[in-house]
Amino acid sequence: MLLDRDGVDRLREALTTADYTGAGIAERLGAEAAAAAGRHDFRAALRLTTERDRLATLVRLFVCQQVEPPAAVADALAPLPLADALAAGLVEPYGDGLRQGVDLEPYADWWVLADVPGAARPGVPLHRDHVLGVGAASSTLAHATVRRPVDTALDLGTGCGVQALHLSTHAGTVTATDLSARALRFAATTAALNGMRWDLLAGDMAVPVSGRRFDLVVSNPPFVVGPGVATHTYRDSGRAGDAVCAELVAAAPDLLADGGTMQFLANWMHVAGQDWTDRVAGWVAGTGLDAWVIQREVADPVAYVNLWLADAAEGADPRRVAAWLDWFDAQKVDGVGFGLVTLRRGGHDDPVVRVEDLRQAVDGPLGAHVAGWFDRQDWLRGHDPLATRYRMADGLRLHQEATPGPAGWTVDRQVLALDGGLRWTEEIDPLVLALVSGCDGSVSLGDQLAVLAVAHEVAEADLAEVAAPIVAHLVERGVLVPVGG
Ligand SMILES: C[S@@+](CC[C@H](N)C(=O)[O-])C[C@H]1O[C@@H](n2cnc3c(N)ncnc32)[C@H](O)[C@@H]1O
C-alpha cells in the first residue's frame, strides 16, 4: 500500500470530514462545473473554490491540479500528517507549494487512487508502470458487466482497482491480479481506503489464479494491437497483434466455474482478405463456451497508432509511428476492431457462438443487455419455438422505403427497428413481416404458420423449417418476445 493501515484510516477521515466525496464535490461545484472539471476545464471549478476551506483546497489540489500552500494542504489532509502524505507520494513539492503526487478521485461512492493522468503533466512521457485512473475504457467495461450476485469474482489486470470496486457490490469475494507491483500497491490502497478486502495477486495473466475458478471474471487488459513491443504496462501486453485477447479466451475454460461468465474489452485485427468475425470466432472454437462478441468500433491503422502513442505522450516520435505502421502493413492489417467479449461456461455440447457488429448507440447499461442476451439463449435452448406464442417487443417500429410510380408507391425495403434497448434494425421480406405482424400473443407460432401456409400456398412443414431459425433470430435480438414462457 502507499500508506500503512493507520495512514489509510487517517486519509479516509480527512477526506470524509472535508466532504471530499462525489456527493460533497457535486454539491459544492454543481453538476455543470463538476462535469467541466471532468473534461479538464477547471475554470468554473476554480471560481467556486476560492475560499481556503479544506474541501476547496482538496478540489484545487486533486481535481484542478493546482499548486497549494503547504499549510493549507496539511490542514486539508489532517489527521494524516503532511510528512506521511509526502512520504507516500500523495503530494509532492512544486515551486513554493505542493501539488498532487497521485490522482485521488472521488468515484461514485468511493475514492480511486492512481497515477497523475498524463493530461496533468503535458509533454512528460508516462513512466513504464503508469497506473491508469478511471478512464473511458474502464467505464465501458463497468457498464458492460453483468451485475448479478455471484460468490466469486476476478478482476484480471486490476490497475487502480476500479473494476474490483464495482465487483464488490455484487460478489461475495473479489480477487484482483496485476503484472505490475506498482498497480497492486495502488489497488491495495484503493481497497483499504474504501474499507474493502480483496485478494490481490501479482503475476502474468491467469498465472496467479491457476487452478482456481470464478463465477465472474472481468478484464480491461492491455489489449492494444501492435508489434509486441512493451513500453507501457497498462497499454502493451508484450504479445504481438491481438494475441493477448486470444490468450484470454483460451484461459477462460479453466478460469470459469460452471455457469460462470467472463467479460473483457478486446481489440482484434482486421486482416485484408480475412473476415474479422472468423478470426475472433476462431479464438472461441473448441473451448466449449457460449460466446457473444460485439464489435463497437473500427479504427483505421493511422488513427489507431496516433491515438495510442498520444495516450502515453509518445506521439511526437515519428520512428515509433513508422515502425508500428510498417508492422501493420506487413501483417496486412487494414483496421482494428474494438469491442466486448462475453464468454459463458454453459456446459453445452453445442455452445452458441455469435460474433457480430453492434455499432449503434444502445439505451441503458450494456451489462443488462448482455444478461438478457444469454437469458434468451437459455430460453431458446429449452423451448419448442412452434408451440410458443410471441408478441412484438415494446417500441418495435416498421420503416419502409418506397418509390412512387404510376400505380402508386412500390415498397422497396422494409426494416423493423427497436426504438430502445439494443436498437437493432432488421431488414425483412413481406412474409416475415406478415409473421411478425401476427405475433399478438394469442396463438402459437405453429398455428400462425398453418394460416400463412394456406394463404401463401406452401407446405406447412416447409414454412416451419424456414421460419424457425428466423423466429429464433428475432427472439435472440429481442424483436419478438415469448409470451408466458
Ligand atoms: C488498461 S489497464 C486496466 C486497469 C483497470 N482494470 C481499468 O479497468 O481501468 C490494464 C491493466 O493490466 C495490467 N497488465 C498488463 N499486462 C498484464 C499481464 N500480462 N498480466 C496481468 N496484468 C497485466 C496493467 O498493469 C494494467 O493495470
Side-chain angles (χ1 to χ4, degrees):
M1 284 204 292
L2 303 177
L3 291 160
D4 62 17
R5 290 238 158 241
D6 178 56
V8 170
D9 289 345
R10 286 169 184 269
L11 177 60
R12 188 188 315 108
E13 188 180 336
L15 301 178
T16 309
T17 56
D19 231 3
Y20 187 71
T21 58
I25 294 174
E27 191 175 322
R28 180 66 165 266
L29 299 186
E32 240 172 76
R39 297 191 304 272
H40 295 275
D41 174 1
F42 304 128
R43 291 168 301 168
L46 288 171
R47 273 198 302 277
L48 292 162
T49 52
T50 48
E51 306 87 352
R52 282 281 161 214
D53 60 285
R54 295 173 63 217
L55 177 57
T57 298
L58 292 173
V59 169
R60 292 169 61 84
L61 186 68
F62 288 115
V63 177
C64 302
Q65 300 157 4
Q66 301 298 296
V67 178
E68 293 293 299
V73 175
D75 182 44
L77 289 176
L80 180 69
L82 183 59
D84 292 2
L86 280 160
L90 301 186
V91 291
E92 60 189 27
Y94 193 75
D96 293 342
L98 296 173
R99 67 176 182 179
Q100 67 179 148
V102 297
D103 187 29
L104 175 45
E105 185 190 354
Y107 171 70
D109 292 337
W110 308 299
W111 298 280
V112 174
L113 275 145
D115 270 319
V116 176
R121 304 274 196 272
V124 180
L126 301 185
H127 63 74
R128 188 181 177 83
D129 268 350
H130 179 85
V131 179
L132 280 188
V134 181
S138 326
S139 302
T140 299
L141 179 60
H143 283 114
T145 301
V146 175
R147 300 282 171 211
R148 287 182 176 165
V150 290
D151 286 338
T152 53
L154 169 67
D155 174 15
L156 197 154
T158 191
C160 61
V162 50
Q163 307 304 332
L165 283 172
H166 284 284
L167 291 175
S168 299
T169 63
H170 61 110
T173 63
V174 175
T175 301
T177 66
D178 208 290
L179 185 64
S180 153
R182 183 177 175 80
L184 287 171
R185 270 203 306 283
F186 275 92
T189 316
T190 295
L193 192 55
N194 294 291
M196 295 178 186
R197 282 188 182 276
W198 307 333
D199 186 12
L200 288 163
L201 302 170
D204 185 29
M205 302 294 281
V207 172
V209 287
S210 158
R212 291 176 58 186
R213 292 184 182 275
F214 300 87
D215 300 316
L216 177 61
V217 179
V218 299
S219 185
N220 172 12
F223 50 65
V224 175
V225 173
V229 177
T231 61
H232 292 83
T233 320
Y234 82 84
R235 184 191 66 186
D236 313 314
S237 66
R239 279 85 166 159
D242 45 20
V244 71
C245 294
E247 195 176 321
L248 273 174
V249 174
D254 290 334
L255 278 177
L256 292 176
D258 288 344
T261 299
M262 175 160 171
Q263 296 190 273
F264 65 93
L265 299 182
N267 274 189
W268 40 77
M269 303 197 293
H270 284 220
V271 178
Q274 186 188 73
D275 189 332
W276 74 270
T277 63
D278 291 342
R279 179 181 189 82
V280 176
W283 298 348
V284 184
T287 60
L289 302 173
D290 296 317
W292 189 31
V293 180
I294 48 177
Q295 176 167 270
R296 302 289 285 148
E297 288 168 26
V298 180
D300 84 272
V302 174
Y304 186 82
V305 167
N306 284 327
L307 169 82
W308 286 109
L309 287 176
D311 197 70
E314 295 180 287
D317 183 351
R319 284 164 308 178
R320 285 289 318 274
V321 178
W324 201 332
L325 287 173
D326 282 349
W327 187 86
F328 275 164
D329 284 350
Q331 304 300 315
K332 298 190 170 57
V333 173
D334 55 21
V336 180
F338 167 82
L340 175 75
V341 175
T342 303
L343 307 168
R344 189 180 61 166
R345 191 159 183 258
H348 305 296
D349 295 336
D350 56 342
V352 180
V353 177
R354 202 77 73 230
V355 181
E356 61 192 352
D357 258 313
L358 197 165
R359 308 270 198 107
Q360 64 271 23
V362 302
D363 288 338
L366 192 51
H369 296 305
V370 172
W373 190 92
F374 280 90
D375 288 348
R376 293 195 291 278
Q377 294 299 345
D378 288 343
W379 187 90
L380 284 165
R381 198 179 281 283
H383 290 81
D384 172 4
L386 293 178
T388 303
R389 293 175 286 129
Y390 299 92
R391 67 171 175 82
M392 287 178 266
D394 296 337
L396 188 63
R397 299 280 178 270
L398 174 66
H399 299 283
Q400 303 199 117
E401 272 177 31
T403 314
W409 292 94
T410 304
V411 175
D412 305 316
R413 199 167 166 255
Q414 293 178 308
V415 177
L416 288 174
L418 285 168
D419 76 352
L422 289 174
R423 294 184 172 273
W424 286 118
T425 53
E426 295 284 338
E427 187 160 352
I428 47 160
D429 62 27
L431 186 58
V432 175
L433 181 59
L435 187 65
V436 170
S437 307
C439 289
D440 59 5
S442 63
V443 294
S444 70
L445 177 64
D447 290 347
Q448 261 185 278
L449 292 177
V451 174
L452 279 175
V454 172
H456 290 265
E457 295 178 355
V458 288
E460 202 179 316
D462 293 346
L463 192 56
E465 199 176 314
V466 176
I470 295 172
V471 168
H473 173 77
L474 294 176
V475 170
E476 173 177 312
R477 292 203 157 180
V479 172
L480 289 180
V481 181
V483 175

